[in-house]
Amino acid sequence: MTAAQADLLIDRPSVADGTALWRIAKDSVTLDLNSSYSYLLWCRDFAGTSAVARREDGEPVGFVTGYVRPERPRTLLVWQVAVDAAYRGHGLAAALLDGLTARIGAERGLNCVETTITPGNTASERLFTSYAARHGATVEREVLFDTGLFPDGPHDPEVLYRIGPLSL
């Protein structure tokens, strides 16, 4: 844990965090921004499979949202990872991801992490490939959603990263 992480608490999000998560996602510029309503619902319905990093005053400065796939109950799909600009570059995203998967692994067993990354998002590519290396897992990649599937205009393809089997 770096000095920048030492003053942070990683725990489950609450509905009150939804606004901050929406702001962090919006400020990231690289994430597809969902409606503010969706972040409130996410913090209510998927808090158990998500994590938030808080400053001492309780304000969120980073998050990972995810869900366990219904047809694959030992697979966590990571939806979004974002860190406030002032806290980037200190390994906080990796700490959030490690903490979340350790918690879910202990609670329900976990053998695989999935996420989608658009081509050229090198920060996410590095985050997830280094996660795989830390956990002794392989990474399989395949296009999950091609450009033509997105109805709201040009969108890069979403490449599925399947990381596993995990040794948590």
Side-chain angles (χ1 to χ4, degrees), residues 60-160:
V61 296
F63 69 88
V64 175
T65 54
Y67 63 88
V68 173
R69 292 192 51 204
E71 69 283 355
R72 291 187 178 181
R74 297 189 61 207
T75 297
L76 173 71
L77 184 289
V78 175
W79 180 261
Q80 289 188 319
V81 180
V83 174
D84 185 271
Y87 291 83
R88 291 183 196 144
H90 300 285
L92 182 54
L96 278 160
L97 188 56
D98 286 346
L100 176 61
T101 57
R103 174 169 40 93
I104 294 172
E107 291 173 357
R108 54 174 88 199
L110 189 64
N111 64 9
C112 184
V113 169
E114 293 181 346
T115 194
T116 61
I117 302 173
T118 54
N121 184 340
T122 55
S124 289
E125 291 168 354
R126 280 194 302 261
L127 173 65
F128 285 95
T129 55
S130 67
Y131 173 85
R134 283 194 309 280
H135 295 281
T138 60
V139 180
E140 296 175 7
R141 296 169 186 86
E142 67 180 87
V143 173
L144 181 64
F145 300 124
D146 204 0
T147 302
L149 292 174
F150 294 93
D152 56 347
H155 192 289
D156 289 332
E158 291 285 346
V159 178
L160 177 67

Side-chain angles (χ1 to χ4, degrees), residues 26-57:
K26 180 178 182 250
D27 292 348
S28 78
V29 182
T30 59
L31 291 178
D32 285 339
L33 184 64
N34 299 298
S35 71
S36 57
Y37 176 68
S38 70
Y39 290 92
L40 294 170
L41 280 175
W42 203 279
C43 289
R44 184 191 77 164
D45 294 341
F46 297 105
T49 54
S50 299
V52 64
R54 302 177 191 286
R55 297 187 313 220
E56 288 181 353
D57 65 2

